[in-house]
Each structure stands twice: as structure tokens, then as C-alpha cells.
Amino acid sequence: MKYTDRRVGINSLKVRLAIYLTYIVQGFALIILAQTVQQLSGLWHASIAGTTAVVSAIGIGKLIAYPILGELSDHVDRKKLLILAMFMYLIFFTILPLTTTLFLAVIVTTLAGLANAALDSVAYPSLLEMNHGKSSGNVLIKAMISLGEGILPIILVALIDRHIWFGWLFWVAAGILIINLLIMTSINPESFYPIKTRKSIVDTKSEGTWNWNITKILFMIYGFSAMWVMIHFTQWVTRYFHVVQSFSTVSSHVLMSFYSIGSLIGVGTLFLLTNRGWFNEKILLIMTALGTVFGLIIVVLSREPVSASIGCFIFGFSAAGGTLQLGLSQLIASDPNFAGRLTGLYFFFGSIAFFIMPIVTGIFAAQHLQGIMLSLLVVAGLNLFIVVFNFYYSRRRLS
């Protein structure tokens, strides 16, 4: 019995390692095109605008794949889906620096969006099950993505300083994926289902009945609005303070550093709180939503770099410290039999926000840049309303 328990524990550790390593690679994927835009423009003989447009292919891949792969995650072997995600990322990182046309680049980049969707569809339900419903494992995903985003620029600067071809940056990620695929070969598929056997999962899925309810609808909206809040802030905070508040270029860019530091500390704090179970997760969502609104109020009222930095730190701590992952955990808890489907739908709505936010805010900012941060308060207020309403609704339903 002890041997069996130890083997299960080792397999569980391997699953976590494989998932988190892939999320470090995903952190690479999220910023690698922006970081290498100059080199890629020359490679594809395209303008900077044409090169940056390739990024939208990631969004296209996500929108196509999330509903489909989320559903598959409830019915097929999740190990196969995770391997599929790794292979699609491997193709993206291996081939993209060798492409010579925008058309081929768009096709290859779409695979990164598909891989992102496949990874999320497997990771979030699996980690939630392995942690017996606790969100700590899912919150740690945010830290791994941030780690990847932090490592990549350092590697790129090292390559540039040594006059080494930029394509090796992509192939470093490919090397991590190859190591990860080797780890995957030693993992038992049932390790992705630690609570039930594979057969019982299939039986449960066939017996379960899908029903829409207020919680599901609320958190689909939350998936959209929580993503909107983070992307809106990161896209406009620097320009807002530089143009509207007349901050220097350095001061306005430093604000993003305070946001990032707040985000990383927020992830660590939320991981500790959810892992220890010191607070009800519904209460934590309310606290982070309140912190987001409070941080934005400081940002909107700031006229000096010091107060703006404090506001950005509080905002990063509250809004980008794992609240998106915490919201998904609450959604899955409402109907664990459809964890994959709920994950797919949740991030599908988030992808819609990722797509339309730049268009909507770009039109608004063209005429009302002064109100661009104030308008974000409306969306943050919607998030607060959703989590407070869900808290009281769930209490009334249980009473």
C-alpha cells in the first residue's frame, strides 16, 4: 500500500512539473513576438504593423479551440491533450524563426493559440482535482507564466550582446518542450484523474446533466470582464500618464514595473492563502475585487509618480495576482462533472475580451484619453458586483 501511495505521489509530482514547465513556455509565447518584432520584420520583409498583426493569430486560435478542447477534456484522455498542446507549441517555436512570409507565420502562430487552449483545458481541471478543490495549484499557473515572461527578455539581451541569431530564443523554448515530452512518457494517464478512475469518470460524465444557472452565467461574464481589466490597464496606463498627466517617459514606463511586482507578490499571497485554506475563496475574490477598485481609484486621482506607483502596485497585487484563476475555480466548483467544458467556455469569453478590448478602447481613447482609466473603473465595478452577488446568492442557496 505504501509503495502504491508513493508511486501515485511521484506521478502526481510529474504531472505538476509537466504542466508548470509548459506554462513557463506559454509565458515565452505571450511576449516573444513583441520582443523580437524587429528581427521578424526583417525575416518576413514586412512593416512593424504587419508583423505585430501576426499576434492576432494567437487570439484566433484560442477562439476556435477553447469550446472544442474544453469539451474534449471531459471525455478523452487528458494526457493526450497535454501532449498535443506541447507538440503544437513545439511546431510554433521550431518553425517560426525559419518562416519567410507573413502567411506562413500566421498559420504557425495560430498553432500557439490552439496549444494555449489545449493546455488550459487540461491544466486547470486536473490541478483543481489534484488539490482536492483548492485553487492554490491554479493560482501558481500565473506565477509560471510571469516567470516565463521574466526570463525571456534576459535570454534575448544575452543573445543580442553576443551577436547570436535571435532564433535560438525560440529554440530554447523548444528544448524545454522536448524535455517535457520525455517527462510525459513516464506518466500514467490516470494520474490526471487522481480522485476517480478513468472508467468512473466516463460513467459520471455520461450520467451528468448540464444545466445553466446563475453562477455559470455570472462567471462567464467574469471571465470576460476580469481579462478586460488586466489587458485594458496594461495597454493604456503608460500612455495615459505620459500624455494626460505629463509624466516623463521613464516615470510612465516604471509604473508597469510596479504593476508587475504587485502581480508577483499577489500570486504568492493568494497561493499561500488558498493552499492553507485560511480564507473562504469567495471572500478572497471579494477582497481582490475591492483591492482592484481601490488601486484604480488611486491611479485615477494620482498626479505624482509616487502615488501612481502605489496605485499600480495595489492594482497588480489585486487584479493580476491570480484572480482570473480563482474565478475559474469557483466556476468549476459549481459543477465539477463539466470541469473541462467550463474551463473552455470561461477562457473563450476571456479571449473575446482580449480581441475586442483594443478596438473599443482605441476608439474611445482617440477622443477621450483623459477618461480611459476612469472608464476602467466601470468594468472593475462590474467584477466587484459579480463576486459579491455570487457570495450572497450561494449562501442563500445553501441555507
Side-chain angles (χ1 to χ4, degrees), residues 260-303:
S260 299
I261 293 167
S263 171
L264 287 171
I265 296 176
V267 168
T269 304
L270 208 55
F271 173 78
L272 179 64
L273 293 177
T274 52
N275 191 48
R276 297 290 185 179
W278 289 337
F279 287 92
N280 182 295
E281 292 188 2
K282 293 183 178 68
I283 297 291
L284 281 177
L285 268 178
I286 293 174
M287 291 168 64
T288 55
L290 280 169
T292 300
V293 172
F294 180 61
L296 275 176
I297 290 173
I298 295 175
V299 167
V300 169
L301 296 177
S302 293
R303 300 293 180 268

Side-chain angles (χ1 to χ4, degrees), residues 374-395:
L374 193 61
S375 69
L376 183 53
L377 265 172
V378 177
V379 188
L382 173 62
N383 282 350
L384 179 58
F385 169 79
I386 288 172
V387 296
V388 170
F389 183 90
N390 178 67
F391 175 75
Y392 285 105
Y393 171 76
S394 60
R395 283 185 66 182

Side-chain angles (χ1 to χ4, degrees), residues 92-108:
F92 166 73
F93 283 109
T94 303
I95 295 179
L96 194 72
L98 302 176
T99 57
T100 55
T101 65
L102 278 176
F103 177 73
L104 183 57
V106 167
I107 293 174
V108 173

Side-chain angles (χ1 to χ4, degrees), residues 90-346:
L90 185 60
I91 293 170
F92 166 73
F93 283 109
T94 303
I95 295 179
L96 194 72
L98 302 176
T99 57
T100 55
T101 65
L102 278 176
F103 177 73
L104 183 57
V106 167
I107 293 174
V108 173
T109 304
T110 301
L111 287 176
L114 296 174
N116 190 167
L119 175 59
D120 286 344
S121 298
V122 170
Y124 285 96
S126 298
L127 289 172
L128 201 60
E129 289 174 10
M130 281 189 282
N131 288 289
H132 307 289
K134 292 181 180 179
S135 299
S136 52
N138 286 356
V139 168
L140 202 57
I141 285 173
K142 174 68 177 178
M144 295 301 107
I145 294 172
S146 298
L147 180 60
E149 290 174 328
I151 292 172
L152 183 136
I154 297 172
I155 299 173
L156 180 60
V157 169
L159 292 176
I160 292 172
D161 284 348
R162 291 165 176 75
H163 305 288
I164 299 173
W165 180 55
F166 81 99
W168 281 104
L169 182 63
F170 289 81
W171 290 354
V172 166
I176 296 172
L177 288 166
I178 290 170
I179 293 170
N180 227 0
L181 285 166
L182 292 174
I183 294 172
M184 288 296 295
T185 60
S186 64
I187 297 175
N188 187 324
E190 289 184 1
S191 299
F192 288 88
Y193 305 99
I195 298 173
K196 314 169 193 174
T197 64
R198 182 73 189 99
K199 184 178 185 301
S200 67
I201 285 173
V202 173
D203 291 343
T204 303
K205 302 307 177 188
S206 62
E207 292 172 6
T209 303
W210 170 269
N211 290 305
W212 283 102
N213 55 39
I214 292 176
T215 300
K216 287 175 183 172
I217 294 169
L218 282 174
F219 277 100
M220 294 302 165
I221 299 170
Y222 183 84
F224 175 91
S225 57
M227 181 67 76
W228 182 294
V229 165
M230 286 188 291
I231 303 300
H232 184 143
F233 184 89
T234 55
Q235 176 162 324
W236 291 107
V237 66
T238 299
R239 181 165 176 77
Y240 169 80
F241 277 103
H242 183 56
V243 176
V244 177
Q245 303 299 343
S246 301
F247 283 19
S248 68
T249 301
V250 172
S251 294
S252 55
H253 280 282
V254 163
L255 294 176
M256 275 303 298
S257 297
F258 280 94
Y259 163 83
S260 299
I261 293 167
S263 171
L264 287 171
I265 296 176
V267 168
T269 304
L270 208 55
F271 173 78
L272 179 64
L273 293 177
T274 52
N275 191 48
R276 297 290 185 179
W278 289 337
F279 287 92
N280 182 295
E281 292 188 2
K282 293 183 178 68
I283 297 291
L284 281 177
L285 268 178
I286 293 174
M287 291 168 64
T288 55
L290 280 169
T292 300
V293 172
F294 180 61
L296 275 176
I297 290 173
I298 295 175
V299 167
V300 169
L301 296 177
S302 293
R303 300 293 180 268
E304 298 294 334
V306 173
S307 59
S309 298
I310 293 170
C312 289
F313 175 86
I314 295 172
F315 178 88
F317 181 92
S318 304
T323 55
L324 193 68
Q325 290 76 16
L326 196 58
L328 175 59
S329 298
Q330 290 300 300
L331 176 60
I332 291 175
S334 71
D335 197 349
N337 284 336
F338 295 95
R341 180 186 294 183
L342 292 169
T343 301
L345 289 172
Y346 185 81

